[in-house]
Amino acid sequence: MSSFAEMIENITPDIYESLKLAVEIGKWPDGRKLTVEQKELSLQAMIAWELDNLPEDQRTGYMGPQACESHAEPIPNILFSSNSLH
């Protein structure tokens, strides 16, 4: 039996698209429902294949550039403002 890495090397773009659709809709192309284990392994295979074959911004889970919270505008605290009476 092949290792996981060897199987990933044999995934073609068509197989990748088929895996991606199966994970998205929860069914194989023939209509059979994916088991939880099949969904997990298919998603792992997709992510592993994407690392070597897709630019970062096209990979599963990409969220774009993220700003650091320390640079965000502070949210005013209306419950404990400095004008409140003690």
Side-chain angles (χ1 to χ4, degrees):
M1 171 162 275
S2 308
S3 72
F4 186 78
E6 290 171 332
M7 287 189 283
I8 299 307
E9 290 174 10
N10 292 319
I11 292 178
T12 64
D14 288 338
I15 293 171
Y16 165 77
E17 290 297 330
S18 181
L19 283 173
K20 185 176 177 181
L21 180 61
V23 169
E24 288 173 356
I25 66 173
K27 295 181 182 178
W28 293 115
D30 66 3
R32 289 178 296 136
K33 187 175 178 182
L34 271 73
T35 66
V36 172
E37 183 180 22
Q38 289 171 331
K39 189 177 265 191
E40 289 172 358
L41 289 171
S42 296
L43 187 55
Q44 288 174 17
M46 283 174 45
I47 292 169
W49 185 86
E50 290 172 355
L51 286 173
D52 291 333
N53 295 281
L54 292 178
E56 182 180 9
D57 64 345
Q58 294 178 15
R59 296 180 195 155
T60 299
Y62 178 74
M63 295 178 57
Q66 301 294 310
C68 178
E69 284 189 33
S70 64
H71 292 103
E73 288 292 320
I75 298 171
N77 187 338
I78 60 172
L79 294 177
F80 300 103
S81 66
S82 58
N83 312 7
S84 64
L85 300 173
H86 297 285

